[in-house]
Amino acid sequence: MMTDPLRILIIDDDAVDRTAIRRALKKSKIDAEITEIGDAERGLQSLLAGQHDCAFLDYLLPPSDGLSVLRSARKDGIGTPIVLLTGKGDEDLAAQALRAGASDYLSKDTLSAESLSASVRHVTNLRKSEIQLQRLASFPDQAPNPIIELTKDGSITYTNPAAIASFPELTVRSSSHPLLADWSSICRGLVEGERNTVTREITLNQAFFHLTVSRVPGDLYRIYALDISDRKRAEEQLIQSAFYDELTGLPNRALFTDRLGGALNRVKRQRNRSFAVLLLDLDRFKNVNDSYGHQAGDRLLVSASDRLQRCVRTEDTVSRFGGDEFSILVEDPQEIGEVIRIAERIQSELEHPFVLGERTVYTSASIGIALGGEGYSASGDVLRDADIAMYRAKAAGGAQLQIFDAEMHAQAVTLMQVETELRHAIDRSELRLFYQPIVELASGQLEGLEALIRWQHPERGLLGAIEFIGIAEESGLITEVDDWVLREACREAAVWADLGENFSRLSVSINISGRSFTRSDRADRIREIIAASSFASHSASLTLEITETAFMQQIDRATALLNELRPLGVRASVDDFGTGYSSLSYLRRLPLDALKIDRSFVREVLNSKEDTEIVRAIIGLAHNLGLLVIAEGIETREQHDRLAAMGCDFGQGYLFAKPLPSNEAVRLVQAGTKWQPATTLP
């Protein structure tokens, strides 16, 4: 059976793209008559003529765009199926195209004979449906879709059974029915215009209909109604997934950014307008996921989103960006105090317990605030500043709010610069190790050296660890830095072991970050580094110092790791003891050798009765567990003698020596340096 070829219109200003589409259509073996037009104005005129079965319309079509052409065609009642083409896949643009009336959407990046063929088949099916609908109109009682005939003044002369079933409320004269809205202008368009049909879409009783109105003999007008509810629901689902978070139903980042852009434009046009952005992160959310599973975490996010919406006004926008990060757009606050009150309401609301099935959990929020004004030109800048403020709130311990200011931005830029320079510092051999003596208090004998990292910055000079270790941890460089410290300390200690008896039993201590300590490959890395340096062949020992907070983050993993390293002669010490986790039960579980009393207690050991008793208790506890005690930050002889009298085993601090470069530390050891022993012992 012979069929007429499809009349296909290609509207694209790029001749190369038009040729590619034509060739792909030819390769798909579609029987088609193809018309090519290279500009928007002539393309719209050709669409308005209604002479094509389908059209491929380029999105980038100067001087406007393809969406404008599409909207104009639909506004004029053109029902020709139109497929929008764009240079790349974009879900947001797809949603816009479908809302504007596109029948399909294709990306030029993935354009092929197969994709074009599938799209054309879809268009062909639409055409066949229309033809069948027109054919059935000759015996409308059997037609599956509603058909209504009526006069110019809206008097209904005929309704087929499908129309009666779909629109039971229709009467012989029902010009107020939604089906007949703007009826006089539709008729006028058919009489006065050059078009044979007018199309429109209506919503009725939660169903969507595509209406085709045409003139028929007898000075009558016929409405063909096609139920397109399934297609509309699919479009709505696409829009929902493009602009709303699937879990919470809140606007997502794309929609929030769009609304923020609108707020920025209003501020630019009217100087009395304002806005604020709150960016917040749920504190300890990872603990909920790790402890109770992701389903519990999801329930927490849904409950938190409900509470957040109760804290804002109807005109404000609450959005979920992803994970446990939420954002709020406050429209036209009267003053900064109003924004702060919203943030405080949020913190208060989140303080109440969350009941997740049989479990009750608690959380709080770190909130960063950026106040919008004329100083901003892009949404990304506002979000960047709110993000900086939020991380400042998290760094302050969480459950806090911070308002962005210029100083924060300057610090953020500096941190980014330091991170970049630190990456180069490792490659350029700018890192150094300094060593501070650890001395036995009772005898004054040198027990060991603690390796302390420094950075010989080419412009800022010698930098202490406090100026860059935090940045290394945030950026993920800390594992590389820790490996360098371990490798360099083992290398130097192996060399020293050949320098004489004073080095033979020297202990070398290094600090390991909690973030790198619990990595699954940490034991293997330490084993490889020790083997590569030949450190293990000497009698000197290696001690790893880790803070008690780091131990407690993954105590089972920490215990397994230390047990793996024990056969290598690697010792372990708790650094900064007394400042972290309050439970002491972990001391019995971990294979430890020593505790290091934090310098904050040592500093006040002569002045504070409370600190003195804390130090005494730590020493007693450690000795009862078979652990040695090292006091950090000893600066005076009085501190030295008081600690020794309490039974403290070792100490380090400026009383003995400042951290020394490697060559000076070697001279100190070679000289057999000995310090004055304690005058009072327990």
Side-chain angles (χ1 to χ4, degrees), residues 478-487 511-513 516 522:
I478 191 63
T479 299
E480 194 171 349
V481 170
D482 279 353
D483 282 355
W484 182 89
V485 171
L486 180 61
R487 188 164 48 248
N511 294 279
I512 296 289
S513 164
S516 66
R522 177 45 62 193

Side-chain angles (χ1 to χ4, degrees), residues 164-473:
I164 295 172
S166 299
F167 314 117
E169 65 277 15
L170 274 174
T171 61
V172 174
R173 184 171 181 88
S174 183
S175 58
S176 61
H177 193 278
L179 198 68
L180 306 181
D182 297 325
W183 180 248
S184 59
S185 62
I186 291 174
C187 294
R188 188 166 53 251
L190 286 171
V191 173
E192 299 174 359
E194 298 178 356
R195 299 191 301 273
N196 297 321
T197 60
V198 171
T199 61
R200 56 195 290 253
E201 292 182 1
I202 66 166
T203 304
L204 190 62
N205 300 328
Q206 297 184 333
F208 297 89
F209 291 92
H210 177 83
L211 306 181
T212 302
V213 184
S214 61
R215 297 186 70 183
V216 294
D219 201 22
L220 295 175
Y221 297 83
R222 182 175 289 172
I223 299 175
Y224 304 90
L226 180 64
D227 190 335
I228 57 171
S229 299
D230 290 342
R231 193 194 82 187
K232 280 294 185 180
R233 291 189 188 101
E235 292 174 5
E236 289 176 354
Q237 183 59 45
L238 179 58
I239 294 170
Q240 180 72 20
S241 63
F243 295 110
Y244 291 88
D245 176 56
E246 183 178 358
L247 177 65
T248 63
L250 294 176
N252 62 11
R253 179 186 286 269
L255 182 53
F256 183 88
T257 304
D258 181 71
R259 292 183 180 176
L260 177 55
L264 275 169
N265 290 332
R266 286 190 291 275
V267 168
K268 292 174 184 177
R269 293 194 304 267
Q270 305 172 50
R271 293 189 175 183
N272 62 330
R273 303 295 294 271
S274 63
F275 67 88
V277 169
L278 284 68
L279 209 59
L280 64 94
D281 196 80
L282 297 182
D283 301 322
R284 303 177 303 282
F285 175 74
K286 185 177 184 297
N287 293 346
V288 176
N289 269 345
D290 292 345
S291 301
Y292 304 129
H294 289 279
Q295 287 186 343
D298 287 348
R299 289 197 294 270
L300 175 58
L301 291 172
V302 172
S303 297
S305 69
D306 292 339
R307 295 190 189 185
L308 292 177
Q309 291 177 89
R310 294 200 296 265
C311 295
V312 301
R313 307 162 306 171
T314 55
E315 62 266 34
D316 300 330
T317 299
V318 179
S319 166
R320 179 181 175 225
F321 273 17
D324 60 335
E325 189 171 83
F326 295 85
S327 57
I328 298 172
L329 174 62
V330 180
E331 299 272 10
D332 290 315
Q334 297 300 310
E335 55 174 352
I336 186 174
E338 185 175 358
V339 180
I340 293 174
R341 285 191 292 274
I342 290 175
E344 290 174 341
R345 280 201 300 272
I346 291 171
Q347 290 178 323
S348 176
E349 190 71 31
L350 294 179
E351 284 178 357
H352 301 296
F354 289 83
V355 179
L356 310 177
E358 298 178 354
R359 299 184 177 91
T360 300
V361 301
Y362 294 83
T363 189
S364 54
S366 300
I367 304 176
I369 301 174
L371 302 173
E374 296 179 28
Y376 287 109
S377 59
S379 301
D381 295 340
V382 184
L383 293 173
R384 175 203 63 204
D385 292 348
D387 190 62
I388 290 171
M390 182 189 73
Y391 276 96
R392 179 68 63 87
K394 288 188 77 71
Q400 306 212 15
L401 67 90
Q402 291 281 338
I403 300 174
F404 177 82
D405 57 30
E407 182 181 352
M408 284 188 190
H409 182 254
Q411 290 175 349
V413 172
T414 299
L415 290 176
M416 184 64 70
Q417 181 179 355
V418 171
E419 177 186 338
T420 302
E421 292 174 345
L422 183 57
R423 292 182 185 275
H424 295 312
I426 299 172
D427 298 331
R428 296 171 180 170
S429 301
E430 293 173 1
L431 299 182
R432 304 283 186 271
L433 281 187
F434 278 49
Y435 296 88
Q436 188 172 37
I438 299 174
V439 178
E440 186 179 39
L441 299 185
S443 65
Q445 294 282 357
L446 178 66
E447 164 67 16
L449 299 169
E450 180 180 1
L452 301 168
I453 190 170
R454 299 290 185 264
W455 179 5
Q456 188 63 54
H457 194 282
E459 297 175 1
R460 299 168 60 194
L462 191 66
L463 304 180
I466 195 172
E467 298 188 64
F468 60 90
I469 287 298
I471 298 172
E473 289 183 334

Side-chain angles (χ1 to χ4, degrees), residues 4-303:
D4 294 333
L6 285 175
R7 296 165 297 175
I8 296 178
L9 174 64
I10 302 173
I11 307 174
D12 194 322
D13 65 322
D14 191 320
V16 174
D17 286 348
R18 293 199 304 271
T19 301
I21 296 169
R22 176 186 285 275
R23 287 176 177 171
L25 286 169
K26 184 176 180 181
K27 185 177 180 182
S28 68
K29 303 194 183 320
I30 293 173
D31 185 15
E33 292 179 357
I34 299 174
T35 302
E36 297 181 25
I37 293 179
D39 63 86
E41 183 177 352
R42 289 194 303 122
L44 178 58
Q45 292 302 318
S46 185
L47 283 171
L48 293 177
Q51 300 299 315
H52 296 91
D53 298 308
C54 72
F56 289 94
L57 175 62
D58 186 26
Y59 172 67
L60 296 175
L61 198 63
S64 56
D65 57 53
L67 283 178
S68 299
V69 174
L70 176 61
R71 292 189 182 103
S72 296
R74 295 303 185 225
K75 183 179 179 182
D76 282 0
I78 298 303
T80 303
I82 299 174
V83 181
L84 192 72
L85 303 174
T86 186
K88 60 179 181 179
D90 188 325
E91 199 173 59
D92 292 350
L93 182 56
Q96 292 181 52
L98 291 173
R99 284 203 306 271
S103 306
D104 202 357
Y105 172 89
L106 293 177
S107 168
K108 289 184 180 180
D109 288 346
T110 58
L111 205 61
S112 64
E114 291 76 15
S115 62
L116 279 173
S117 177
S119 185
V120 170
R121 278 197 302 272
H122 170 64
V123 171
T124 303
N125 289 335
L126 285 177
R127 184 185 181 211
K128 286 180 179 178
S129 296
E130 291 177 359
I131 292 172
Q132 184 175 359
L133 193 61
Q134 293 171 0
R135 184 179 63 82
L136 288 172
S138 61
F139 39 99
D141 283 352
Q142 284 73 44
N145 297 303
I147 298 176
I148 303 109
E149 288 186 352
L150 59 168
T151 62
K152 184 177 181 181
D153 64 0
S155 298
I156 297 174
T157 61
Y158 172 78
T159 54
N160 73 341
I164 295 172
S166 299
F167 314 117
E169 65 277 15
L170 274 174
T171 61
V172 174
R173 184 171 181 88
S174 183
S175 58
S176 61
H177 193 278
L179 198 68
L180 306 181
D182 297 325
W183 180 248
S184 59
S185 62
I186 291 174
C187 294
R188 188 166 53 251
L190 286 171
V191 173
E192 299 174 359
E194 298 178 356
R195 299 191 301 273
N196 297 321
T197 60
V198 171
T199 61
R200 56 195 290 253
E201 292 182 1
I202 66 166
T203 304
L204 190 62
N205 300 328
Q206 297 184 333
F208 297 89
F209 291 92
H210 177 83
L211 306 181
T212 302
V213 184
S214 61
R215 297 186 70 183
V216 294
D219 201 22
L220 295 175
Y221 297 83
R222 182 175 289 172
I223 299 175
Y224 304 90
L226 180 64
D227 190 335
I228 57 171
S229 299
D230 290 342
R231 193 194 82 187
K232 280 294 185 180
R233 291 189 188 101
E235 292 174 5
E236 289 176 354
Q237 183 59 45
L238 179 58
I239 294 170
Q240 180 72 20
S241 63
F243 295 110
Y244 291 88
D245 176 56
E246 183 178 358
L247 177 65
T248 63
L250 294 176
N252 62 11
R253 179 186 286 269
L255 182 53
F256 183 88
T257 304
D258 181 71
R259 292 183 180 176
L260 177 55
L264 275 169
N265 290 332
R266 286 190 291 275
V267 168
K268 292 174 184 177
R269 293 194 304 267
Q270 305 172 50
R271 293 189 175 183
N272 62 330
R273 303 295 294 271
S274 63
F275 67 88
V277 169
L278 284 68
L279 209 59
L280 64 94
D281 196 80
L282 297 182
D283 301 322
R284 303 177 303 282
F285 175 74
K286 185 177 184 297
N287 293 346
V288 176
N289 269 345
D290 292 345
S291 301
Y292 304 129
H294 289 279
Q295 287 186 343
D298 287 348
R299 289 197 294 270
L300 175 58
L301 291 172
V302 172
S303 297

